[in-house]
Amino acid sequence: MTTTSDQWWRGAAIYQIYPRSFADANGDGVGDLCGAASQLEYVASLGVDGIWLSPFFPSPMRDFGYDVSDYRNVDPVFGTLDDFDALLARAHRLGLKVIIDQVWSHTAISHPWFLESREGRDNPRADWYVWAEPKPDGSPPNNWQSWMGGAAWTWESRRKQYYLHNFLREMPDLNFHCPAVQDAILDVAHFWLKRGVDGFRLDTANFYFHSCALEDNPPQPGESPVLMQAHIHNVCQPENLAFLARVRGVLEQYDARMSVAEIGSARNLDRMIEYTSGSSRLHTAYSFLLLGDRFDPAYIAELMAPWQQDGGADAWPSWAFSNHDVPRVASRWADGDAARRRQLIALLMCLRGTVFLYQGEELGLSQSEVPLAEIQDPFGKANWPIKKGRDGCRTPLPWKRDAHAAGFTTGVPWLSVDDAHRERAIDQQESAADSTLNFTRGVLAFRQAHVALRLGSFEVLRADATILVVVRRHAGDAVLAAFNLSAAVEHLVLPSSLAATAEPIALGDVEFDGANLRLPAWSVLMVPIK
């Protein structure tokens, strides 16, 4: 499904594979690269352009791979470098691009770089991490808070200094003000690009730099200590842009490679535009703007607007409704309703930008309830029951309804298979013409067939609390997309110039005669127009 253009990533649909929960080939209960490779035909059958692989690198797994101890290898639980090369080759044979996670803002505490850095203040890597003196009373250098709870500083007795960690204390932050750190990270990028990966998903890409003055973050209203301060000194520093330009420079040395940033900021939309504007920064970026609770049509129209205006027109967004860090969208927005799950798939595929589909989203999987005794996520363990962690969106993918562990493994799965997911297993949906899986395939094929949906403008005809009607246009192609996000029937009168030119994709008993549009509850209309 991919193109040969260097711009293949614009408007692409990317399928996120969380390897630990996707498919287990060796029966140890943990998904692996061989398992993922064995199921790539299924992924290709969806009609996506590529895959994003969550981390598979050596790690103590304090944060399930987002604490990397070796950037240039594969953790034995996931396989070997040869297994990765085989997966990459198989994906490319199937026409799938491969994007891999790169976790550069921090390492595992067991990374050799940190083990050397912590030994003293005069070794070759002494300044590779963010070290700071205590205050006169011995307390941390400032008030910065960790996103995993508690202060963002931990004392290291060997150096008699604190080190910074925006996340777990076992995940110390690299010091990107040190040129040698930047060079080492870019060497890692070259390592994977030379192996043939098509791009990088850059974890916490706005966290690379901190303010060297270590000022206190100012207070703000919030529900927890980390939210009770505005994060203006520990993230999103201006020096980040120069490093992103260096990253882009590395990618430009290879054919048709790309980068997508993950951004978590108080100004998500502004930061997405800033990081992807022009041709010298990153290719695209996504944030948590559509990974939360709000998704009304007026809000969606608001998020689409800047990308067609001055300042955003030469930038490019990415969007996701689900991923490995947030509750599944089928529970978050659809309340488990089958029609609404499918509607959300169609809505995602109509957005302007590159889109990411999380494994199981194509099945309409809901969020799993994982009991406290089985919780693996350190965030969930620390914050139960107010915040139950991320395990509920990470349970194994159900391949076969009646098989042991739903076909995910022959062993004991690292997280229990959600029995509620068995009825939505892939083998049950494959043969059902009206399944969410086959609806997803149909919508993806429609997006592939219409350049307007991948690259087009986003003209809003109506966007309010419940109704979204837009026209997407590009290079002579045009698509009308209409969504009723309510339980009431809506009747709309549209310009007569929007007459249909081909068969639509519809969800619900939609009626459209070129001017009059009837949208039943939770319905969708996607139709080519003149």
Side-chain angles (χ1 to χ4, degrees):
M1 292 295 176
T2 56
T3 70
T4 58
S5 169
D6 285 357
Q7 302 288 304
W8 65 267
W9 47 273
R10 284 186 177 269
I14 308 296
Y15 185 87
Q16 182 190 354
I17 291 177
Y18 190 70
R20 177 174 287 271
S21 299
F22 188 68
D24 174 24
N26 64 7
D28 66 355
V30 178
D32 46 46
L33 295 179
C34 288
S38 72
Q39 299 293 358
L40 287 179
E41 283 81 0
Y42 165 75
V43 177
S45 78
L46 299 175
V48 296
D49 297 280
I51 61 172
W52 154 27
L53 278 176
S54 291
F56 52 82
F57 316 105
S59 167
M61 300 296 169
R62 296 277 190 171
D63 194 26
F64 293 100
Y66 283 91
D67 48 332
V68 179
S69 58
D70 182 353
Y71 284 117
R72 300 170 184 250
N73 214 328
V74 174
D75 193 286
V77 76
F78 297 124
T80 66
L81 272 174
D82 286 342
D83 294 332
F84 174 79
D85 291 340
L87 181 152
L88 184 65
R90 190 166 192 170
H92 285 167
R93 287 195 299 271
L94 291 166
L96 295 171
K97 302 290 189 181
V98 177
I99 299 168
I100 64 171
D101 244 309
Q102 292 289 273
V103 189
W104 292 343
S105 69
H106 54 267
T107 71
I109 200 170
S110 58
H111 196 291
W113 296 348
F114 185 77
L115 296 180
E116 182 176 356
S117 186
R118 75 179 182 180
E119 286 301 318
R121 304 187 187 193
D122 59 358
N123 64 69
R125 293 193 173 93
D127 60 349
W128 279 40
Y129 292 81
V130 183
W131 297 99
E133 300 294 330
K135 290 181 177 179
D137 64 359
S139 61
N142 59 31
N143 70 345
W144 297 354
Q145 293 289 303
S146 163
W147 289 98
M148 294 295 195
W153 298 95
T154 290
W155 178 253
E156 172 49 65
S157 59
R158 295 169 182 82
R159 288 184 56 132
K160 295 182 173 56
Q161 286 181 305
Y162 283 93
Y163 67 85
L164 176 67
H165 52 89
N166 278 295
F167 300 98
L168 292 174
R169 62 184 295 174
E170 295 87 2
M171 296 157 64
D173 277 44
L174 284 164
N175 177 21
F176 277 80
H177 292 285
C178 173
V181 168
Q182 294 190 34
D183 293 343
I185 288 298
L186 295 180
D187 282 345
V188 170
H190 279 295
F191 175 83
W192 291 106
L193 291 167
K194 288 174 181 176
R195 296 195 91 84
V197 302
D198 300 289
F200 298 136
R201 180 265 189 185
L202 302 179
D203 186 66
T204 58
N206 57 313
F207 278 65
Y208 295 152
F209 287 84
H210 65 287
S211 170
C212 291
L214 302 181
E215 306 99 321
D216 278 354
N217 281 330
Q220 67 178 11
E223 298 177 351
S224 65
V226 73
L227 296 175
M228 291 178 185
Q229 58 183 234
H231 293 264
I232 62 174
H233 297 304
N234 59 319
V235 298
C236 299
Q237 299 305 295
E239 296 92 336
N240 222 34
L241 295 177
F243 176 67
L244 298 183
R246 294 193 69 192
V247 174
R248 180 64 177 259
V250 168
L251 290 160
E252 292 296 322
Q253 297 175 38
Y254 301 82
D255 291 336
R257 311 304 170 91
M258 64 84 73
S259 54
V260 53
E262 178 204 32
I263 295 172
S265 165
R267 294 171 51 228
N268 279 312
L269 197 59
D270 292 343
R271 202 67 65 192
M272 288 169 66
I273 293 171
E274 180 183 33
Y275 281 19
T276 66
S277 292
S279 59
S280 64
R281 297 177 185 173
L282 301 181
H283 298 81
T284 182
Y286 80 91
S287 67
F288 289 79
L289 288 167
L290 289 174
L291 292 168
D293 293 330
R294 187 177 178 190
F295 71 108
D296 59 273
Y299 177 60
I300 290 171
E302 177 185 326
L303 296 183
M304 297 300 113
W307 304 94
Q308 301 174 98
Q309 301 168 355
D310 290 345
D314 64 344
W316 191 256
S318 286
W319 307 105
F321 288 172
S322 289
N323 69 15
H324 62 290
D325 279 334
V326 300
R328 286 188 175 275
V329 72
S331 296
R332 204 173 71 246
W333 291 355
D335 293 332
D337 180 79
R340 293 169 69 181
R341 296 175 206 232
R342 295 171 197 171
Q343 182 187 58
L344 293 173
I345 295 289
L347 179 58
L348 177 63
M349 296 305 156
C350 284
L351 298 184
R352 185 173 191 266
T354 299
V355 296
F356 286 81
L357 194 69
Y358 180 51
Q359 65 183 48
E361 198 171 350
E362 78 280 12
L363 306 176
L365 296 187
S366 56
Q367 183 78 353
S368 299
E369 285 293 328
V370 180
L372 176 59
E374 296 183 22
I375 287 289
Q376 304 290 321
D377 180 18
F379 184 78
K381 290 178 180 179
N383 294 281
W384 181 278
I386 298 173
K387 301 288 186 181
K388 296 183 178 181
R390 299 162 292 179
D391 290 334
C393 64
R394 298 176 176 181
T395 54
L397 194 65
W399 293 93
K400 299 178 180 179
R401 183 186 65 182
D402 298 325
H404 169 76
F408 162 71
T409 181
T410 58
V412 178
W414 77 282
L415 276 177
S416 296
V417 172
D418 187 341
D419 284 337
H421 289 174
R422 288 182 179 272
E423 292 304 317
R424 293 187 169 273
I426 291 166
D427 70 335
Q428 298 302 296
Q429 297 203 38
E430 285 279 10
S431 58
D434 62 348
S435 68
T436 301
L437 172 58
N438 285 315
F439 179 80
T440 301
R441 285 176 170 143
V443 173
L444 276 163
F446 191 79
R447 181 180 172 95
Q448 289 284 357
H450 290 281
V451 67
L453 289 178
R454 301 194 308 277
L455 302 176
S457 59
F458 197 89
E459 177 189 352
V460 178
L461 301 186
R462 177 171 167 179
D464 53 30
T466 59
I467 300 296
L468 178 66
V469 182
V470 302
V471 174
R472 305 288 313 277
R473 297 184 189 275
H474 187 82
D477 185 37
V479 172
L480 171 71
F483 302 85
N484 180 1
L485 276 69
S486 78
V489 177
E490 292 281 350
H491 294 83
L492 293 81
V493 178
L494 303 179
S496 58
S497 60
L498 302 180
T501 62
E503 288 298 311
I505 284 185
L507 183 65
D509 189 19
V510 177
E511 298 176 6
F512 177 56
D513 65 7
N516 299 291
L517 174 62
R518 178 184 181 272
L519 289 173
W522 313 113
S523 59
V524 173
L525 175 68
M526 299 165 61
V527 61
I529 58 173
K530 64 182 183 181

